């Protein structure tokens, strides 16, 4: 339905996750004793997580079919996105290594599985099931090696119990992740294996892992002016930039909060999203957070970075503490550069787009006569409306599609992309629609003319 949030989809779609986890655990023989053995060796495995993550992403960058997942259009590696995926992978395995597998954990794994398919929060993402299977197999081998290296001479009995526990748990995990897949898309062109600097990947994984844990050799704190007294009214917010860091400052229910303006899912501008009661919703894919402490509602173990706010007579100030670490110089493109992905892509006008690049359920923005226009792919057909919601001017191109309805990321107004009609409030006025013409392999958005 139009107003359904990611949190609601998460709860509804994974309603049987706990019972399914328990069923598979019983089927493969994963017991409480196995979970206890995993807990007992938790800190051994945590020590090896950076090397496990580095090895896995080295594999992904070696082969064109998986390296493309991390490339920019010019063929270079998107290091920021690579580090984000490394961080999420490390957090996932650190949580798995805790040995605590309750209902929330099962729902989380179910959601992770769906997020790798077009049925997840971002319909543009599809990671073939073979890579999920390969990941589990890779991690299984590396965990066995870590346990042997640490325990084979010291405590072989614990090594054996932990290895059996992890083997059974990973079988349960694989079933949980794989059940989201129903059919595979066409086979990829695998291409030729490329060399990857494994040591460089290990350095990057360690850096990402330690930074995510807040580890640093020293800290620097700077005081940042936000606004004059009274400038940010109750219920309002302000987005500021501090040395390239985007931070949202909220005056909410008489208190002040400041959060990193980067969603943990794919870096969306979360602090620009709708705020209802204490729940902040990312405008890109609907991930929700508690504005008071930055907790991700889908996974309470994950949080947005929070910054102290000081209210004084001379204004509102932030205290931004940054990690001080030695610079890590790694040029990923030295060992993973491919020819540009769009070497011969035709140059497009500001009101044109490549229809092959706009996937099902995706929304992009173009410009028509100086006005921002949102373009939608619904069931293979293209529609276009003005990009500004008629209620408060929210950017519809950052909203989410639900059938033919586009849902504004600011206040959840809904519009039918075919007619522009407002289908749910608070917006009451329709949004302007445009004509989409297909010609010579490209699409053009035009102002509609009266017949």
């Amino acid at each position: 339905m139009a107003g359904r949030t990611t949190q609601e989809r998460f709860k509804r779609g994974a309603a049987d996750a706990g019972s399914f986890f328990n069923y598979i655990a019983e089927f493969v023989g994963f017991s409480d004793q196995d979970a206890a053995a995993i807990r007992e060796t938790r800190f051994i495995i945590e020590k090896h997580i950076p090397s496990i993550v580095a090895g896995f992403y080295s594999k992904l960058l070696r082969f064109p079919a998986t390296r493309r997942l991390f490339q920019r259009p010019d063929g270079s590696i998107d290091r920021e996105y690579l580090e984000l995926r490394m961080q999420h992978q490390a957090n996932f395995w650190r949580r798995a290594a805790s040995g605590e597998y309750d209902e929330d954990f099962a729902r989380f794994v179910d959601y992770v599985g769906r997020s790798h398919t077009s049925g997840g929060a971002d319909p543009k993402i599809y990671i073939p099931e073979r890579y999920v299977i390969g990941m589990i197999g890779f991690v299984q081998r590396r965990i066995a090696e870590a346990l042997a290296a640490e325990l084979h001479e010291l405590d072989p009995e614990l090594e054996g119990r932990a290895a059996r526990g992890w083997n059974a748990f990973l079988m349960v995990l694989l079933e949980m992740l794989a059940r989201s897949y129903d059919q595979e898309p066409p086979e990829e062109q695998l291409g030729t294996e490329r060399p990857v600097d494994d040591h460089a990947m290990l350095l990057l994984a360690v850096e990402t892992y330690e930074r995510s844990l807040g580890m640093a050799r020293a800290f620097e704190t700077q005081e940042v002016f936000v606004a004059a007294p009274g400038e940010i009214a109750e219920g309002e917010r302000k987005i500021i930039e501090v040395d390239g860091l985007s931070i949202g400052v909220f005056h909410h229910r008489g208190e002040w909060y400041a959060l990193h303006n980067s969603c943990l899912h794919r870096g969306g501008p979360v602090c620009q999203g709708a705020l209802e009661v204490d729940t902040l919703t990312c405008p890109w894919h609907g991930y929700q957070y508690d504005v008071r402490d930055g907790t991700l509602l889908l996974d309470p173990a994950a949080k947005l970075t929070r910054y102290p706010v000081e209210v004084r007579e001379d204004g509102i100030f932030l205290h931004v503490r940054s990690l001080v670490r030695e610079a890590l110089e790694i040029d990923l493109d030295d060992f993973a550069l491919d020819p540009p992905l769009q070497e011969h892509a035709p140059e497009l006008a500001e009101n044109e787009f490549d229809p092959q690049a706009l996937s099902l359920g995706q929304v992009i923005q173009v410009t028509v006569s100086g006005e921002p226009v949102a373009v939608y792919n619904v069931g293979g057909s293209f529609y276009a409306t003005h990009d500004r919601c008629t209620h408060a001017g929210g950017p519809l191109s950052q909203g989410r599609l639900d059938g033919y309805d586009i849902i504004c990321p600011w206040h959840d107004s809904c519009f039918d992309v075919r007619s522009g009609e407002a289908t749910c409030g608070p917006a009451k006025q329709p949004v302007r629609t445009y004509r989409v013409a297909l010609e010579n392999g490209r699409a053009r958005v035009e102002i509609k003319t009266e017949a």
Side-chain angles (χ1 to χ4, degrees):
M1 298 299 295
R4 186 180 301 170
T5 67
T6 294
Q7 183 76 3
E8 290 168 341
R9 291 196 301 271
F10 163 72
K11 290 181 178 178
R12 228 188 314 272
D16 67 338
S19 59
F20 185 79
F21 184 97
N22 292 333
Y23 167 75
I24 296 299
E26 176 68 23
F27 187 84
V28 304
F30 178 64
S31 65
D32 290 341
Q33 290 74 25
D34 292 324
I38 291 175
R39 285 195 297 273
E40 196 171 346
T41 55
R42 170 183 180 177
F43 296 109
I44 290 176
I45 297 304
E46 283 194 357
K47 184 171 72 172
H48 288 265
I49 285 177
S51 66
I52 292 172
V53 171
F56 177 63
Y57 282 92
S58 288
K59 292 285 187 183
L60 294 183
L61 290 182
R62 274 197 175 89
F63 299 96
T66 47
R67 187 168 60 251
R68 295 176 75 87
L69 300 172
F70 304 96
Q71 287 179 292
R72 301 185 183 93
D74 66 359
S76 63
I77 297 299
D78 186 339
R79 174 169 168 171
E80 183 177 355
Y81 178 62
L82 176 62
E83 290 187 37
L84 180 66
R85 301 318 308 169
M86 281 183 161
Q87 180 182 343
H88 286 186
Q89 183 90 191
N91 288 340
F92 179 84
W93 290 116
R94 188 164 64 247
R95 184 170 180 181
S98 72
E100 302 292 341
Y101 311 120
D102 55 11
E103 178 80 17
D104 282 343
F105 177 80
R107 285 182 169 181
F108 174 66
V109 173
D110 180 274
Y111 194 80
V112 168
R114 283 185 282 116
S115 71
H116 287 78
T117 74
S118 57
D122 188 344
K124 303 185 295 297
I125 295 177
Y126 188 92
I127 308 299
E129 187 179 7
R130 65 181 71 89
Y131 300 131
V132 175
I133 296 171
M135 175 192 68
I136 296 297
F138 177 86
V139 171
Q140 185 176 36
R141 179 173 63 84
R142 295 297 293 269
I143 285 177
E145 292 173 351
L147 292 170
E150 301 285 346
L151 295 173
H152 190 66
E153 298 295 334
L154 182 65
D155 192 342
E157 188 273 337
L158 177 57
E159 177 198 353
R161 286 193 292 114
R164 287 190 296 273
W166 270 102
N167 288 343
F169 169 71
L170 289 170
M171 284 190 280
V172 177
L173 192 59
L174 181 58
E175 286 293 331
M176 290 288 295
L177 296 173
R179 74 174 185 152
S180 300
Y181 291 86
D182 48 9
Q183 63 181 30
E184 289 279 300
E187 290 289 328
E188 307 133 305
Q189 298 296 319
L190 297 181
T192 304
E193 181 179 354
R194 294 294 184 88
V196 172
D197 187 333
D198 293 329
H199 180 65
M201 289 299 295
L202 177 59
L203 291 177
L204 184 61
V206 170
E207 171 73 8
T208 302
Y209 185 70
E210 291 184 351
R211 191 167 60 244
S212 72
L213 295 176
M215 297 172 63
R217 296 170 181 83
F219 291 96
E220 288 181 351
T221 301
Q222 59 175 312
E223 183 177 271
V224 179
F225 176 79
V226 176
E231 181 180 335
I232 305 177
E234 167 67 35
E236 298 297 325
R237 73 193 78 177
K238 183 176 181 179
I239 309 297
I240 66 169
E241 298 289 329
V242 182
D243 296 333
L245 181 70
S246 182
I247 299 175
V249 182
F250 297 83
H251 190 183
H252 177 66
R253 293 188 170 188
E255 301 292 338
W256 292 86
Y257 307 101
L259 300 171
H260 186 200
N261 186 27
S262 178
C263 180
L264 298 177
H265 178 226
R266 288 180 67 82
V270 59
C271 292
Q272 298 176 25
L275 177 58
E276 296 182 359
V277 190
D278 295 323
T279 299
L280 179 65
T281 301
C282 179
W284 280 11
H285 304 117
Y287 277 67
Q288 295 183 311
Y289 301 83
D290 189 322
V291 74
R292 297 168 297 178
D293 61 7
T295 298
L296 176 62
L297 300 189
L298 296 180
D299 178 13
K303 293 186 177 183
L304 297 171
T305 301
R306 183 180 174 185
Y307 303 92
V309 183
E310 182 181 3
V311 181
R312 304 199 306 244
E313 291 185 358
D314 56 338
I316 313 299
F317 296 85
L318 286 185
H319 295 279
V320 180
R321 190 172 72 161
S322 58
L323 305 179
V324 180
R325 302 179 62 87
E326 296 176 3
L328 185 63
E329 297 295 335
I330 298 178
D331 188 352
L332 296 175
D333 297 328
D334 280 349
F335 58 85
L337 184 62
D338 263 356
L341 302 183
Q342 300 177 355
E343 288 184 76
H344 305 294
E347 185 174 344
L348 298 173
E350 62 179 7
N351 68 325
E352 294 180 330
F353 64 95
D354 180 359
Q356 299 298 318
L358 187 59
S359 304
L360 294 175
Q362 187 180 2
V363 187
I364 61 171
Q365 184 195 83
V366 299
T367 301
V368 179
S369 299
E371 293 291 324
V373 174
V375 183
Y376 319 91
N377 183 344
V378 182
S381 297
F382 300 106
Y383 303 91
T385 72
H386 197 276
D387 192 41
R388 297 294 178 256
C389 173
T390 58
H391 170 241
L396 298 181
S397 59
Q398 295 181 21
R400 60 186 186 277
L401 274 171
D402 188 354
Y404 287 104
D405 277 344
I406 182 65
I407 305 170
C408 178
W410 284 8
H411 305 107
D412 288 335
S413 294
C414 311
F415 301 90
D416 189 317
V417 300
R418 297 168 296 183
S419 64
E421 177 187 358
T423 56
C424 66
K428 297 180 179 179
Q429 298 300 317
V431 67
R432 182 175 186 175
T433 60
Y434 295 77
R435 175 175 176 267
V436 180
L438 298 176
E439 184 178 346
N440 297 327
R442 64 175 66 187
R444 183 175 63 257
V445 182
E446 305 171 336
I447 296 176
K448 284 184 176 180
T449 57
E450 298 295 332

